[in-house]
């Protein structure tokens, strides 16, 4: 099922170890530039937890969307 949610409703996955698997800041910068040029067109996968969605896949895209 596809669903559009606000960025404020998206939370990081609490099981992701950010020290061992950090988000690449250079990739985030590239995506911010891409979002400015072409818009945000790729989705993020997550699971609904109450009124929020926890990211399952797409952490870099969410960080870029927040920065854009």
């Amino acid at each position: 099922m596809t669903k559009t949610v606000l960025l404020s409703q998206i939370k990081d996955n609490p099981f992701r170890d950010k020290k061992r698997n950090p988000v690449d800041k250079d990739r985030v910068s590239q995506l911010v530039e891409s979002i400015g040029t072409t818009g945000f067109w790729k989705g993020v996968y997550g699971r609904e937890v109450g009124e929020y969605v926890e990211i399952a896949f797409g952490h870099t895209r969410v960080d870029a969307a927040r920065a854009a």
Side-chain angles (χ1 to χ4, degrees):
M1 178 172 114
T2 301
K3 183 177 181 180
T4 302
V5 298
L6 300 173
L7 283 173
S8 61
Q9 292 178 294
I10 299 175
K11 291 190 172 198
D12 288 339
N13 185 330
F15 301 107
R16 181 184 174 129
D17 185 348
K18 290 186 178 183
K19 289 183 180 183
R20 286 184 21 179
N21 189 14
V23 173
D24 183 347
K25 294 184 188 293
D26 291 333
R27 183 70 182 126
V28 171
S29 296
Q30 292 171 351
L31 282 172
V32 168
E33 185 177 327
S34 176
I35 289 170
T37 304
T38 63
F40 187 85
W41 53 272
K42 277 196 172 183
V44 174
Y45 296 94
R47 61 185 150 267
E48 290 186 58
V49 179
E51 61 187 54
Y52 294 97
V53 174
E54 285 182 353
I55 303 169
F57 181 77
H59 292 81
T60 303
R61 283 177 257 160
V62 170
D63 286 354
R66 287 178 177 149

